[in-house]
Amino acid sequence: MENITELIRNRRSVRTFDGREVSEEDLEKLTAFMEKIENPFAIPVQFKLLNAKEQKLSCPVVGGTNLYVGAKVQKIPHMEEAVGYSFERLVLYALSLGIGAVWIGGTMDRAAFEKAMALNGNEKMPCISPLGYPAKKMSIKETMMRKGVKADSRLPFETLFFDGTFDVPLTAEKAGSLAGVLEMVRLAPSAVNKQPWRVVKEKNAVHFYLKRNKGFISDAVGDVQKIDLGIALCHFALAAKEGGLNLHFQTNDPGIAAPDDTEYIASYTFS
């Protein structure tokens, strides 16, 4: 995978494709990559390539491609974070091949997609994504959707990151060499761009928390904002490793006092 920082900075959700089929070479690369994706929760996430035309799948917000990828996972604790981490790894790898994608959890014929994924009673299919070569120009529908959620804006650094305690915002200057890695977290995508992650930095650790918004849990998808946290963890890990940091993952609550609407998810220690 090419420079991860560059990929994250250039990444955008793609819903309008140019109609070309993904090449056999790129399909082979995608398939090989899907089979070896891992996440720090050690929860297997199964991916499957789907053909909308052949399998009678529909997604009204997508145009110009018949190729989709679905992800399914066992209904166990941390499944959403695992899907978020693993699926974002796939999205970024697809981008490195020039293939566009977008996270979709609701605006689709879910019953048809779940049937195509051969979902059993103990599995969830939290999300899908179309795959294809981006069109040169976005559709009017896509342009309006991006404008509606302010897709190109992000919360300030000091709103998302904290220094030792939630009472002390962390500035990019004080974050020092870690500022660039945290910026990759700040740029992560999230459902309707809510950016629900909050990160507390200690000397050699970062602790990820979920600042919850109402209305993001459903029977079909699960906890959408925990998926967002998985995406944020993925961005941190990939950028940190690219920067030469050695990481250790853990889910032991560090005991930092958090606001009532904020819950601990996971941590990375680094050296």
Side-chain angles (χ1 to χ4, degrees):
M1 194 184 295
E2 65 182 77
N3 185 291
I4 192 66
T5 299
E6 188 174 321
L7 284 174
I8 290 173
R9 289 191 184 279
N10 291 334
R11 182 199 186 282
R12 72 168 177 85
S13 298
V14 178
R15 299 174 180 85
T16 311
F17 301 87
D18 68 4
R20 288 181 294 155
E21 291 188 3
V22 175
S23 71
E24 286 298 324
E25 180 182 0
D26 284 345
L27 280 176
E28 289 176 5
K29 290 178 180 178
L30 279 171
T31 301
F33 190 81
M34 287 190 305
E35 292 174 352
K36 63 182 183 182
I37 293 176
E38 297 179 342
N39 61 74
F41 298 93
I43 296 174
V45 178
Q46 291 182 265
F47 296 96
K48 186 176 181 180
L49 294 176
L50 308 169
N51 186 295
K53 187 175 181 180
E54 293 175 1
Q55 295 171 288
K56 295 181 173 57
L57 308 174
S58 64
C59 183
V61 297
V62 171
T65 185
N66 284 313
L67 182 64
Y68 288 81
V69 62
K72 64 179 181 178
V73 65
Q74 293 289 316
K75 297 176 184 177
I76 56 177
H78 296 300
M79 64 174 185
E80 294 98 342
E81 297 98 307
V83 167
Y85 189 104
S86 295
F87 206 90
E88 183 67 0
R89 286 207 68 191
L90 178 58
V91 167
L92 290 171
Y93 180 71
L95 179 59
S96 76
L97 300 177
I99 296 170
V102 58
W103 286 77
I104 294 176
T107 48
M108 62 171 135
D109 182 349
R110 174 166 282 277
F113 274 96
E114 289 183 350
K115 181 179 179 182
M117 288 294 294
L119 210 66
N120 68 40
N122 196 42
E123 293 176 329
K124 277 189 183 293
M125 183 196 74
C127 57
I128 61 163
S129 173
L131 296 172
Y133 303 116
K136 291 182 179 179
K137 186 177 180 180
M138 288 185 284
S139 68
I140 294 175
K141 182 187 292 185
E142 180 172 11
T143 301
M144 294 304 293
M145 288 180 68
R146 291 182 61 81
K147 185 177 180 180
V149 299
K150 299 180 180 179
D152 296 316
S153 66
R154 292 292 187 273
L155 292 170
F157 196 95
E158 295 84 356
T159 300
L160 299 173
F161 308 119
F162 299 87
D163 189 5
T165 168
F166 278 97
D167 294 326
V168 183
L170 178 68
T171 64
E173 291 75 18
K174 196 164 184 181
S177 60
L178 203 63
V181 177
L182 291 175
E183 178 65 9
M184 297 304 102
V185 175
R186 192 178 79 90
L187 295 177
S190 57
V192 296
N193 203 23
K194 286 294 186 181
Q195 306 157 69
W197 47 82
R198 298 294 183 269
V199 181
V200 179
K201 178 187 176 297
E202 293 188 306
K203 287 184 179 180
N204 66 332
V206 286
H207 309 293
F208 283 73
Y209 293 78
L210 166 58
K211 181 177 174 58
R212 187 171 295 287
N213 296 275
K214 294 180 179 179
F216 285 87
I217 299 176
S218 72
D219 290 338
V221 178
D223 192 327
V224 176
Q225 294 198 311
K226 285 187 176 180
I227 295 175
D228 293 340
L229 264 291
I231 298 172
L233 286 164
C234 177
H235 278 215
F236 180 86
L238 293 179
K241 289 175 183 176
E242 184 176 79
L245 295 179
N246 294 313
L247 298 180
H248 175 71
F249 180 79
Q250 61 187 45
T251 55
N252 298 321
D253 192 329
I256 297 169
D260 290 340
D261 59 351
T262 305
E263 64 181 277
Y264 172 74
I265 298 296
S267 303
Y268 277 110
T269 57
F270 54 88
S271 60

